[in-house]
Amino acid sequence: MKKVVSPCFCKVYTRNGNEATARAFCEIQFENGRLSITGVIGPMPSGNCRGGAGQCVDEIREGRPCDEWTQEMLDKFCSIWDEWHLNDMRPYCKHQKELGWDKLAVTPVTLYHYRLNSKTLRRQESMKKSSWNMLCDGMTAALSDDQIEVAKLPYSITLPHEISGDAALYYEPQKSLYPGMTGATETKTLGWLHPDEHPDGILGKPCPVCGYQYGHAWQTEEVPQEVIDWLFNLPESPVVPAWV
């Protein structure tokens, strides 16, 4: 099934920077249990458009309802778009959704990046040179327990919390050396973090009911029939778009 609707007019800008409006169009497709919704704002015969295209649900949500559409219809349409678009690409199983993992997955958390401070780096280098010289002189290079602990420290570490305890003696916040490089902190969502990266991370975490590992494969979540019926009972677009 396929349907083209025109739910609203959206704000766009001309080449001169002036504000204008353009009609938005959305194509709804439902085939083999898969729902797909795409949009375009102000499509032109050239193939360009005056606004966004594709997954432009946020722009369309801010639009002004037109023709037979009401604000309530527009809000519901965008909510369905958010929730059910590409329902065959779910990273969770039905049990994980019942447990709220779909909401947990988008929860942002902060990661803290640290690297060895200059004092510790100098100490490691000094131990390397001392051990090498001893070996070259035919001696056994022996390190104390404390020296072994320092020698084994990794250059950088990432923690789900700020550093504390003895580790704070050896590490300092990582600095961003060039644009795009991760600095001292980084924000990620729990759906993109393994449990060994963050205690609340769910990527690869098994379902307590069926054992499916979150994010291991795409799962299909059946779209409720009432949602499909509502979408395909929406008024057809009164205007034929250049493309959608």
Side-chain angles (χ1 to χ4, degrees):
M1 294 189 292
K2 183 183 294 187
K3 188 184 190 78
V4 175
V5 299
S6 180
C8 61
F9 284 99
C10 294
K11 183 188 300 184
V12 295
Y13 292 92
T14 66
R15 291 183 178 180
N16 298 325
N18 297 322
E19 186 176 305
T21 58
R23 184 181 282 270
F25 299 91
C26 298
E27 183 181 75
I28 307 166
Q29 294 188 67
F30 185 67
E31 186 176 1
N32 297 323
R34 182 181 196 255
L35 177 65
S36 172
I37 303 175
T38 56
V40 58
I41 299 169
M44 298 185 289
S46 64
N48 292 328
C49 55
R50 301 175 65 193
Q55 293 306 296
C56 51
V57 58
D58 290 335
E59 292 176 75
I60 289 177
R61 180 181 282 108
E62 298 300 319
R64 173 173 54 84
C66 61
D67 306 319
E68 300 177 55
W69 285 70
T70 65
Q71 187 63 53
E72 182 181 3
M73 290 169 64
L74 181 61
D75 291 342
K76 182 173 181 177
F77 175 68
C78 291
S79 294
I80 289 174
W81 190 345
D82 279 334
E83 184 173 2
W84 295 107
H85 171 67
L86 297 186
N87 59 297
D88 60 342
M89 297 181 67
R90 299 297 198 239
Y92 49 78
C93 68
K94 64 178 183 179
H95 311 112
Q96 290 168 332
K97 184 175 184 180
E98 291 169 358
L99 293 170
W101 287 25
D102 57 324
K103 304 296 189 298
L104 187 62
V106 296
T107 303
V109 293
T110 301
L111 298 178
Y112 299 83
H113 302 288
Y114 295 93
R115 67 177 186 181
L116 291 175
N117 56 37
S118 56
K119 180 180 179 181
T120 305
L121 288 171
R122 288 195 300 268
R123 188 177 175 189
Q124 284 186 337
E125 187 61 28
S126 176
M127 286 189 292
K128 288 180 183 178
K129 289 182 179 180
S130 176
S131 298
W132 177 251
N133 290 334
M134 293 174 69
L135 290 171
C136 289
D137 291 338
M139 302 171 62
T140 300
L143 299 176
S144 67
D145 291 343
D146 179 62
Q147 289 176 317
I148 292 174
E149 179 183 345
V150 173
K152 292 170 62 177
L153 290 173
Y155 176 74
S156 62
I157 58 173
T158 297
L159 302 173
H161 52 74
E162 293 187 87
I163 203 167
S164 61
D166 292 341
L169 300 174
Y170 307 121
Y171 288 93
E172 64 183 8
Q174 178 177 287
K175 298 177 182 177
S176 181
L177 301 179
Y178 51 84
M181 178 181 175
T182 301
T185 61
E186 179 183 13
T187 299
K188 284 191 173 184
T189 54
L190 294 176
W192 287 100
L193 291 168
H194 289 89
D196 59 353
E197 296 175 293
H198 192 282
D200 297 324
I202 59 175
L203 184 60
K205 187 175 180 179
C207 170
V209 179
C210 67
Y212 167 77
Q213 296 179 337
Y214 180 93
H216 183 70
W218 293 129
Q219 302 291 303
T220 297
E221 183 179 8
E222 185 177 355
V223 182
Q225 187 60 46
E226 59 266 27
V227 170
I228 299 301
D229 292 342
W230 188 86
L231 288 174
F232 284 91
N233 280 322
L234 289 171
E236 294 275 359
S237 172
V239 179
V240 177
W243 60 272
V244 64

